[in-house]
């Protein structure tokens, strides 16, 4: 089963748990602050997706498989959750909603649509592979070395959260880069899943992001007939990191509606 990080409710009110699903190259740890704040009235559980973090390494990274992993976690939590997924995690969440919708009460899809994209993320894999891990003992030094390959400091910081500096035998990436690179067309693609999810669904996007376009809405509404749309001003694709409090409050309002 996927590795999980549990955040028990500080004052439980009987709400179903919230399951948080990260995007490509991410981990449960990326969501720690938001998960803790949302755990005031309900348990919040964040997962490491397959081939990420502490979760098992698998030979395939496609959405039916990722949805199956999430279903297994949900069954272990009692069989019903509110589900929040960002980017790749949002596509996995949509796949699960369309195929096993009874497991989900409310669905939040963060800055992604059920469509095929063309933004290949393989260059980031090449950059991570290109990082010289010899003798690395600090994240600061790792950042300095990675700067030659990744100019954006925020992106470097995000990637380096998946670098294990204390691994036996020396630093290693907590990512199965080989499988992620091979299956990149599946990750940026969409399996064309049919059906519909009748539960309340929020498509929450960054106002400065181009991942969810107006022309996607017809496709979204066909699959998620009760979809609502909201935008966070001043945020891009990484809306939860760029506007964490606004993201958290929007999620809270939707879940409690």
């Amino acid at each position: 089963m996927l590795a999980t990080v549990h955040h028990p409710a500080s004052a439980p009110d009987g709400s179903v748990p919230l399951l948080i699903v990260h995007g490509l190259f991410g981990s449960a740890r990326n969501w720690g602050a938001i998960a803790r704040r949302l755990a005031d009235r309900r348990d919040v559980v964040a997962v490491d997706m397959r081939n990420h973090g502490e979760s098992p390494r698998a030979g395939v990274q496609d959405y039916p498989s990722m949805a199956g992993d999430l279903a297994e976690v949900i069954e272990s939590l009692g069989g019903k959750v509110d589900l929040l997924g960002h980017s790749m995690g949002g596509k996995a969440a949509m796949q699960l909603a369309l195929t096993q919708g009874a497991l989900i009460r409310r669905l939040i899809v963060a800055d992604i649509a059920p469509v095929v994209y063309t933004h290949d993320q393989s260059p980031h894999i090449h950059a991570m592979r290109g990082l010289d891990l010899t003798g690395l003992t600090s994240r600061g030094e790792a950042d300095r070395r990675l700067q030659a390959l990744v100019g954006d400091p925020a992106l470097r910081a995000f990637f380096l959260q998946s670098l294990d500096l204390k691994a036996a035998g020396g630093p290693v990436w907590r990512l199965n880069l080989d499988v992620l690179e091979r299956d990149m067309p599946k990750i940026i693609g969409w399996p064309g899943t049919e059906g519909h999810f009748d539960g309340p669904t929020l498509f929450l996007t960054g106002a400065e992001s181009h991942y969810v376009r107006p022309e996607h809405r017809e496709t979204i509404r066909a699959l998620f007939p009760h979809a609502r749309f909201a935008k966070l001003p001043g945020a891009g694709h990484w809306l939860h990191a760029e506007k964490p409090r606004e993201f958290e409050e929007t999620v809270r309002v939707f879940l409690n509606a």
Side-chain angles (χ1 to χ4, degrees), residues 2-257:
L2 298 180
T4 58
V5 177
H6 288 244
H7 302 272
S10 54
D13 65 1
S15 298
V16 299
L18 172 63
L19 184 64
I20 298 178
V21 189
H22 66 77
L24 181 62
F25 307 134
S27 71
R29 297 193 307 169
N30 302 151
W31 289 83
I34 288 175
R36 286 190 293 273
R37 288 196 295 265
L38 288 172
D40 54 346
R41 294 290 184 266
R42 68 174 74 226
D43 290 351
V44 177
V45 179
V47 301
D48 284 343
M49 294 294 273
R50 60 171 50 205
N51 295 315
H52 291 71
E54 302 300 325
S55 280
R57 296 323 185 220
V60 65
Q61 192 81 23
D62 64 15
Y63 289 110
S65 300
M66 286 186 266
D69 294 341
L70 296 178
E72 187 178 17
V73 173
I74 294 170
E75 293 291 357
S76 76
L77 297 173
K80 193 90 169 183
V81 299
D82 289 333
L83 185 59
L84 187 167
H86 172 249
S87 198
M88 179 189 77
K91 281 190 170 181
M94 288 188 283
Q95 174 72 20
L96 181 62
L98 294 171
T99 55
Q100 299 186 66
L103 298 175
I104 303 167
R105 187 187 73 110
R106 286 178 172 250
L107 175 66
I108 301 171
V109 180
D111 213 68
I112 203 74
V115 300
V116 175
Y117 291 91
T118 58
H119 50 263
D120 187 355
Q121 302 293 325
S122 297
H124 296 320
I125 293 177
H126 301 158
M128 283 184 267
R129 279 211 190 96
L131 176 64
D132 181 8
L133 301 177
T134 307
L136 263 186
T137 58
S138 74
R139 212 160 295 278
E141 175 61 17
D143 181 72
R144 188 188 68 77
R145 294 185 189 184
L146 192 59
Q147 187 173 4
L149 302 168
V150 180
D152 185 343
L155 205 53
R156 291 198 305 274
F158 171 65
F159 292 155
L160 289 173
Q161 289 185 56
S162 292
L163 182 64
D164 185 357
L165 290 170
K166 298 180 180 179
V172 295
W173 291 102
R174 294 192 188 95
L175 299 163
N176 189 342
L177 296 176
D178 290 342
V179 169
L180 296 178
E181 181 178 34
R182 189 201 67 206
D183 282 356
M184 189 61 66
K186 297 175 182 176
I187 295 170
I188 65 174
W190 174 248
T193 309
E194 298 180 348
H196 57 272
F197 174 65
D198 286 327
T201 305
L202 175 65
F203 281 79
L204 179 57
T205 62
E208 297 178 4
S209 171
H210 302 292
Y211 276 67
V212 182
R213 298 177 176 273
E215 58 266 30
H216 296 155
R217 290 201 174 195
E218 183 178 352
T219 298
I220 291 170
R221 290 192 186 280
L223 299 173
F224 303 94
H226 299 291
R228 295 179 179 180
F229 299 86
K231 290 185 178 182
L232 292 187
H237 183 59
W238 305 99
L239 64 174
H240 59 293
E242 296 165 0
K243 298 289 182 178
R245 292 305 174 93
E246 294 88 339
F247 181 91
E248 171 200 338
E249 185 56 28
T250 304
V251 167
R252 190 188 305 280
V253 167
F254 175 73
L255 293 181
N256 294 336

